[in-house]
Amino acid sequence: MDELNPSIPNVARMYDYYLGGKDNYAADREAAEKILHAAPFTPVLARHNRRFMQRAARHLALSGIRQFLDIGTGLPTQGNVHEVVRPLVPDARVVYVDNDPVVAAHGRALTATDDATIVLRHDMRDTGALLADPALRDAIDLGEPVGLMLLSMLHCLGDDEDPYAAVAALRDALAPGSHVVISHITGDDDVTDNSVSVYGRANTGMTHRSRDRLLAFFDGWTLLEPGLVRLDEWRPEPSTGTIGAGGGYYLCGVGAK
Ligand SMILES: C[S@@+](CC[C@H](N)C(=O)[O-])C[C@H]1O[C@@H](n2cnc3c(N)ncnc32)[C@H](O)[C@@H]1O
């Protein structure tokens, strides 16, 4: 796994910069500024991505899900899954997983006083090691439904890394009644070319996928209404607001097993 190297732009820290966080270095800010130049709406998309995650997590909690597995969790920022679901399910168990050492260290500090929330460092590509981790098995009962959160992370994996197989392996391991929440970058034009080239020099790439390729992540799941839509179109609430320019660059959806 990559260890901390502040001179290589890092996808988690670039995302932190878009969200106005302070956990980023000069190389991250420089790469992020290149993205912002071509796609100035990126911070708006990042905020709407968080809002979608929060609406979907609340929906799952209200549907009776009591355990959550959030993979590619990112640097801690306000309104993480455990903060969103606890008011609805006080004993909810939340497992955060990220392969980034900085994310894992921050996350451990954040959840040090919370027995029902843990942070594990794993690579999603190795679902076998993740699912076999005794810490995960202690926290999550695989015989009961799980809310699997894959927000803005599957596009970090190229097709050659087979994210479809990883999602399918997780689906097969989870109990009926489990749900998957996905958001993912899409689009194919100049903005895409720029982002592919900037992220090509970062610690992970950035793979834009078509609507059909995104629907394929939901194979074996039943896509809930309103289907695969823009971030501001998934069950919006009065406070959701609209994205405006760039809204079509992200799609999201929730599937049930
Ligand atoms: C753009 S951030 C998304 C953060 C959060 N899920 C959100 O949507 O607000 C992507 C995260 O995925 C993590 N990530 C990328 N590839 C990964 C992999 N193969 N396994 C686990 N985590 C990964 C990165 O370290 C980063 O923290």
Side-chain angles (χ1 to χ4, degrees):
M1 283 184 192
D2 296 338
E3 293 306 325
L4 174 60
N5 182 347
S7 66
I8 296 177
N10 173 290
V11 66
R13 299 193 299 259
M14 288 170 69
Y15 185 74
D16 175 70
Y17 182 67
Y18 301 143
L19 285 171
K22 296 194 173 10
D23 294 309
N24 45 72
Y25 298 107
D28 309 315
R29 292 189 285 275
E30 205 177 298
E33 283 297 337
K34 286 187 188 146
I35 295 288
L36 291 175
H37 183 68
F41 41 77
T42 302
V44 177
L45 285 173
R47 285 196 295 277
H48 273 270
N49 178 54
R50 301 289 306 170
R51 287 182 206 158
F52 160 66
M53 176 278 280
Q54 292 160 356
R55 296 197 300 284
R58 274 197 296 275
H59 172 77
L60 267 49
L62 290 170
S63 308
I65 303 252
R66 307 167 70 82
Q67 38 185 14
F68 295 81
L69 176 58
D70 178 2
I71 306 182
T73 186
L75 284 158
T77 179
Q78 273 195 335
N80 273 326
V81 174
H82 70 290
E83 295 160 317
V84 172
V85 300
R86 277 287 150 65
L88 302 168
V89 185
D91 61 347
R93 274 152 295 137
V94 180
V95 176
Y96 291 119
V97 175
D98 206 289
N99 66 345
D100 189 291
V102 182
V103 171
H106 273 276
R108 274 194 285 273
L110 187 81
T111 56
T113 53
D114 179 343
D115 287 346
T117 302
I118 59 168
V119 183
L120 302 177
R121 188 173 170 209
H122 274 284
D123 193 309
M124 183 183 171
R125 290 169 291 185
D126 191 353
T127 49
L130 170 62
L131 290 166
D133 187 328
L136 179 131
R137 303 300 281 251
D138 261 4
I140 290 205
D141 176 356
L142 291 178
E144 293 290 322
V146 171
L148 172 62
M149 317 295 286
L150 298 171
L151 278 300
S152 194
M153 83 78 54
L154 292 170
H155 49 230
C156 296
L157 301 180
D159 284 342
D160 56 333
E161 297 170 289
D162 208 354
Y164 295 94
V167 174
L170 292 166
R171 178 200 64 213
D172 291 347
L174 300 184
S178 295
H179 286 63
V180 67
V181 179
I182 293 176
S183 64
H184 195 297
I185 206 158
T186 185
D188 47 356
D189 57 14
D190 286 354
V191 171
T192 306
D193 292 346
N194 178 68
S195 110
V196 168
S197 112
V198 173
Y199 281 98
R201 291 186 287 276
N203 69 320
T204 73
M206 182 66 58
T207 303
H208 295 245
R209 293 190 171 93
S210 67
R211 182 180 182 80
D212 281 352
R213 296 302 293 145
L214 296 190
L215 283 172
F217 281 121
F218 292 95
D219 281 355
W221 304 87
T222 302
L223 194 56
L224 303 189
E225 289 296 329
L228 186 67
V229 293
R230 289 164 48 130
L231 294 166
D232 52 353
E233 290 176 343
W234 198 88
R235 306 192 185 195
E237 294 165 1
S239 61
T240 301
T242 50
I243 301 176
Y249 280 103
Y250 251 85
L251 291 174
C252 66
V254 178
K257 173 165 167 175

